[in-house]
Amino acid sequence: MSGSLGDLGTLLPLMIALAVQGSVHLGSTLVFSGAFNIITGVVYGIPLPVQPMKAIASAAISNGEDAPIEVVLAAGQWVGAAVLVMSATRLLPWAASAVPVPVVKGIQLGAGLSLIVGAGTSLLQPLHWTHPVLDNRICALFAFLVLVATQRLPRFPYAFAFFVLAVVSAVVAVVTSRHRLPSVHVWHPRFHLPRWVGPRGDAPALWMAIGQLPLTTLNSIIAVTALAADLFPDLPAPTATSVGISVACMNLAGTWFGAMPVCHGAGGLAAQWRFGARSGASVIFLGVAKLILGLVFGDTLIGLLKSYPRSILGIMVLAAGLELAKLVNLVPPVPPGPIETWATTSDWSDGPSC
């Protein structure tokens, strides 16, 4: 349960921002991403995350009203179609084998550092020291000190404990501000026709997809398969083709109903692993929770999620970035000596594959 919540620091800020400005439907996003979590956990047996497409989300948030829901959904479908073609034509396995290991590790390091910088600039730096009472820099410092103190307690449910604390804080913030708490609002699917081409013949969705495609290919497919092999050496690692087909199917299915474009990511896998996830059961649990929340409450959750403490989110993103960055050390430097000795030396049992 704790590990399943490890990726909330990436999911919540982007999902909330897109839902508030009307670029996606929160209910549809929760329902479809929850279903994808359940399917992913059953199929792969590892905590493979379902994350927002960060480049598309960033472009949509920065463009505001110029990125309506039809354009955002079309961008996700462009990426899904491109990844499906690459999977069907065996381009993804070729890319996975052709990209050198140091490049993959560099992608992981860059993603980890970007998470750390993002946590500091967008979540923690804008906070004040003492107000509001339940979301300030002192709260962030407390969360950070507990994170450090529990480094050698792998079974301590850090993410779960602070998630409960954050939800209580959000409820108190909503009640004291006299805003409405979530209410029962059964989800009704609404069909949306994506806007692949603009009214003037331009294609803003295509340009958003072009910015996302390299990130999806390298970080969400190639890097995540390499990271899965590092973190779970006793389990069969997902192939680049299967992960690519998974990304394609997710974005060619849920986007028709207003769901946020999603992918798998190395940062999310590292975050969930950092907070205790060791099997597909963690993402199945998360998927069931998201599915129930989406079906029962839907878009009425926006107010509560907007009040979720940024202090706790920021520390969770920071921890995920540090975990992803330090995993680069899982691949040791090439030792001296002839290649024949690598496979017979216990310290370098995986030398030839490096």
Side-chain angles (χ1 to χ4, degrees), residues 15-28:
M15 182 177 68
I16 294 171
L18 291 175
V20 168
Q21 74 176 30
S23 294
V24 298
H25 287 309
L26 180 61
S28 298

Side-chain angles (χ1 to χ4, degrees), residues 249-275:
C249 290
M250 289 191 298
N251 290 285
L252 294 176
T255 49
W256 294 102
F257 301 95
M260 176 179 60
V262 292
C263 61
H264 306 299
L269 178 58
Q272 293 178 152
W273 188 88
R274 164 63 184 82
F275 291 112

Side-chain angles (χ1 to χ4, degrees), residues 286-311:
L286 176 63
V288 171
K290 290 162 67 174
L291 194 61
I292 294 175
L293 289 174
L295 290 173
V296 177
F297 297 105
D299 292 339
T300 65
L301 288 166
I302 291 180
L304 180 63
L305 293 179
K306 286 174 64 177
S307 300
Y308 196 95
R310 289 183 297 171
S311 55

